[in-house]
Amino acid sequence: QVQLEESGGGLVQAGGSLRLSCAASGRTFSSYVMAWFRQAPGKEREFVGGISWSGGRLYYADSVKGRFTISRDNAKNTVYLQMNSLKPEDTGVYYCAAGQVVNTRAPGAYDRWGQGTQVTVSS
């Protein structure tokens, strides 16, 4: 099974950019669909975007489409989330997740999760 660890979070001003990374252990990374979720205080965890096994299929929440980009490097066992034009409402803990079903946005469909990295966007 794969273990996940996020990095790259921090404090940024509105309009700025951050790049999150999620490093996976194990040899089966390329067999997983990967996704990013986020959770703001007092709110439910919400889907941000996902990427298929080879990276050929990408899907995003409407709230981040055009601003966020997911990519993966299977040789490095890493998935990335490039976040541009950040808004205060993007603030939250960002989690990467691994699953088996492509184009699914439900947290319950992902069975491996990282510990999360905090992203704070100031206005």
Side-chain angles (χ1 to χ4, degrees):
Q1 289 185 332
V2 66
Q3 292 185 326
L4 307 173
E5 183 174 2
E6 303 93 338
S7 61
L11 173 64
V12 63
Q13 289 188 333
S17 298
L18 280 175
R19 188 193 196 202
L20 305 184
S21 298
C22 173
S25 63
R27 300 182 178 181
T28 60
F29 175 73
S30 61
S31 69
Y32 284 92
V33 172
M34 299 299 297
W36 288 94
F37 288 79
R38 67 187 180 189
Q39 188 165 19
K43 295 187 176 182
E44 294 185 351
R45 192 168 297 189
E46 67 170 346
F47 173 81
V48 174
I51 186 168
S52 62
W53 306 272
S54 65
R57 294 183 64 180
L58 305 170
Y59 41 106
Y60 299 96
D62 288 343
S63 59
V64 307
K65 201 173 294 183
R67 300 188 297 122
F68 290 12
T69 303
I70 294 177
S71 61
R72 68 189 295 164
D73 186 337
N74 287 342
K76 295 182 178 180
N77 281 9
T78 303
V79 62
Y80 305 96
L81 181 66
Q82 177 67 45
M83 304 186 294
N84 299 327
S85 302
L86 283 161
K87 305 176 181 180
E89 52 264 41
D90 294 318
T91 294
V93 178
Y94 281 69
Y95 300 89
C96 68
Q100 299 294 331
V101 181
V102 71
N103 202 21
T104 181
R105 301 164 187 242
Y110 295 86
D111 49 18
R112 307 298 295 177
W113 292 83
Q115 294 299 309
T117 184
Q118 176 71 44
V119 171
T120 303
V121 183
S122 63
S123 57

